[in-house]
Each structure stands twice: as structure tokens, then as C-alpha cells.
Amino acid sequence: MSTAATPNLHLEDQVCFALYSAARAAQQAYRPLLDELGLTYPQYLVLLVLWEQDGLTVTALGERLHLDSGTLSPLLRRLEAHGFIARERADVDSRRVLVSLTPAGDALRERAADVQRCLLEAVTLAPAELLALRDLSRRFVGPEA
Amino acid sequence: MSTAATPNLHLEDQVCFALYSAARAAQQAYRPLLDELGLTYPQYLVLLVLWEQDGLTVTALGERLHLDSGTLSPLLRRLEAHGFIARERADVDSRRVLVSLTPAGDALRERAADVQRCLLEAVTLAPAELLALRDLSRRFVGPEA
DNA sequence: CTCAATTGAATTGTGCGCAATACTTTAGGC
DNA sequence: GCCTAAAGTATTGCGCACAATTCAATTGAG
């Protein structure tokens, strides 16, 4: 279809379009499940991090998710308004904002396990293919990320 | 780390987070290149489709890109404001809006080939891995897509 | 100690993505 | 022809992403 000298510009051949479509398809698969928890997908990702390690700063959350404060500040404000997290300035350095789970936020953890199960059932790829997709995607992000 | 009965909730193990991160990394790789053309990545995708087949309706564009009119209408308005496309109601059915390239939009096609070349150089994955990533992503989107 | 530089978070502005709604045009049933 | 239903697009509202800016708190050089 094309040579190295003339890269093809067909939509269907584009790796990045496939990634772009797959990422949105993933969010759409999550949406009905997360709706029941009152969460969006990025909010769910924040909780995934906090369930692993509570009490992180906004910057630390951003490093894990590759998001900056411009995205996280309003997102965390909504999570707080929904009662899932609390934010407080650190004593030692009042520039830092420590994000911690409320009991309600911690309680979501069990229900989130069901979300994972439902999603795995909906996916048509074989387990080994999912692992391959995950690892290729991670390496696409960068050698170190 | 986990069994089938208790799916793990670690961020780093999530396929969808890897996709989400990779898709955003792809857009960030495109951004500096597309900035020079005055395009965003979704706008670039629309032009990719039009370079293949000009004069499509909004719905036809949406089917190719998996986007609805809520996303495309303002995006096309901006592409039109920038002089890259024109929109006109179809004669046979004035509900349909035909989107067509202007000379300026058509001229971008050559410069876009350079964008592809720069991106391929920046990517660290081997060609075969890129194909694998593309095909797994497409199959993740759905058996039908 | 003082002041400039740096850090951490929030804010502002633009552009998606998507659900829900509205509006116009066309097609059908009669 | 008339009236209802359907199709095609646009609009509204909300929540990300991200660049750029702002602001307060801390650090460090002197």
C-alpha cells in the first residue's frame, strides 16, 4: 500500500488511531459500571492509586497517572464533593495537599472488584492477548514512564 | 499477584490504563508536529479521512472515527474557520451537510506525510510490534469496528 | 536576615468526548 | 395533501486534558 519513502496516510493503517479508538472504547465499557458507583473513569483511576497508597500529594498522584494539577485539581474537588476523598494541607509544608480516602471512598474498593470482573467478561481478547496489549501500550508510552 | 476470584486492582496491572496512557502519549507526540500545521489530533484525523474520500457527510465522518455530531459539529466549525474545509447542505437532502476540502486543506496533505515520518522516528517500538499493537487495539475496540 | 528563585497547587482558557435535547428536513401511512 | 415518525445535524451541559499563568509557601545564596 505504501513504501518507506511515502508513508501511507490511510486512517485504518494508523497505530495511533487504533490506540485512540481503543482507549475510548475502554472508557465506554467502564462507563455503565462506574455510573453505578458515581465515578468517571479518571476518577476511578485516582481511587485505584489511593487504594494502593493513601495520603498522597496531588503531584504524586499526577506522576502515577501522568496528569497535571490542571486536570487533577477540579477532578479531586469533585471526588471530595462526592464524599470519597478528603484534602488537607500538609503540616510540614503547607504547599502540599494530602489526598486521603474517606470511609465511603475506602468502601468503594470492594464494589470496584466487581467492575473488574464484569469488564474482563465483556472483553473478547484472550488473556494472553490482553497482556500483550498492555505491555506494548506501556512500552509505547516510553522507555521509562 | 491475584487469582481469578479476586481480580487485582493495581494500577500498573490494568490494561485499560495502559491504553489510556498510550493514547495520550500518542497525542502528545503528535502535538508539536501538528501545531505547525495549526491542527489538533482529532482535526488531523478528520483530514485523514477527507484526504481519502472528500465530500462526506457529518454522519459518514462520524462512523469512520467513532464520533458523534456533538463532537464533530464544533470541530468542523473550527476546521472551517481555519480555512481547511467547507461545509454545504446537500442539494438532494438539505438535512445532510457535505464536508469537503478547500485548496488549503488539500495542500496540508503533503506536509502531513512529514508528520508521519517524524513520528515513526520518535517511536521506540519495532515495526512488527507497532503492527501487533495496532491489531490488538483494533480487536479490543470490537469484533465489529 | 533578606530577597530572589523554586516548588506545589490552583486557576484560566481552549478543545475534545459524550449524553441529552432541540430543530429542521424528509419519508410514509392514510 | 396531511400528519406523524424518522433521519441528520446542531446545541447544551458536564467532565476531562493540557498549556499558560498566578499565587502562596519554602528554600537558598549572600
Side-chain angles (χ1 to χ4, degrees), chain A residues 53-102:
Chain A
Q53 183 178 2
D54 201 359
L56 292 174
T57 65
V58 173
T59 299
L61 274 170
E63 286 172 355
R64 291 278 257 134
L65 299 170
H66 316 307
L67 293 172
D68 66 6
S69 70
T71 300
L72 285 176
S73 283
L75 186 157
L76 294 173
R77 180 184 310 285
R78 286 184 283 269
L79 274 181
E80 186 178 39
H82 282 44
F84 298 136
I85 65 166
R87 293 190 293 174
E88 58 173 350
R89 296 277 171 180
D91 290 343
V92 292
D93 184 346
S94 65
R95 288 172 304 183
R96 296 170 184 255
V97 169
L98 299 177
V99 181
S100 52
L101 291 164
T102 62

Side-chain angles (χ1 to χ4, degrees), chain A residues 37-55:
Chain A
L37 306 188
L39 295 174
T40 66
Y41 183 67
Q43 290 168 10
Y44 170 74
L45 291 178
V46 166
L47 292 182
L48 275 184
V49 173
L50 292 176
W51 288 330
E52 276 186 61
Q53 183 178 2
D54 201 359

Side-chain angles (χ1 to χ4, degrees), chain B:
Chain B
M1 292 290 276
S2 75
T3 70
T6 62
N8 83 61
L9 291 175
H10 288 255
L11 179 70
E12 292 307 319
D13 297 328
Q14 300 276 329
V15 178
C16 294
F17 173 66
L19 278 174
Y20 164 84
S21 300
R24 288 195 292 121
Q27 288 208 35
Q28 298 208 14
Y30 268 105
R31 192 181 313 278
L33 302 169
L34 293 180
D35 275 350
E36 297 182 17
L37 306 188
L39 294 174
T40 65
Y41 183 68
Q43 290 168 9
Y44 170 74
L45 291 179
V46 167
L47 291 183
L48 275 185
V49 174
L50 292 176
W51 289 329
E52 275 186 60
Q53 184 177 3
D54 201 358
L56 292 174
T57 65
V58 174
T59 299
L61 274 171
E63 285 173 356
R64 290 278 256 134
L65 299 169
H66 316 306
L67 292 172
D68 66 7
S69 70
T71 299
L72 285 176
S73 283
L75 187 156
L76 294 173
R77 181 185 310 286
R78 286 183 284 270
L79 275 180
E80 186 177 40
H82 283 43
F84 298 136
I85 66 166
R87 292 190 292 173
E88 58 173 351
R89 295 279 170 179
D91 290 343
V92 292
D93 183 346
S94 65
R95 289 172 303 181
R96 297 170 184 254
V97 169
L98 299 177
V99 181
S100 53
L101 291 165
T102 61
D106 192 67
L108 279 185
R109 187 174 191 162
E110 301 167 17
R111 297 219 274 156
D114 291 335
V115 169
Q116 290 299 306
R117 268 187 285 269
C118 288
L119 224 89
L120 282 173
E121 291 174 10
V123 166
T124 63
L125 291 183
E129 292 176 321
L130 282 176
L131 290 181
L133 177 57
R134 187 194 65 188
D135 293 340
L136 284 170
S137 296
R138 289 206 294 227
R139 290 178 48 214
F140 184 92
V141 170
E144 164 57 7

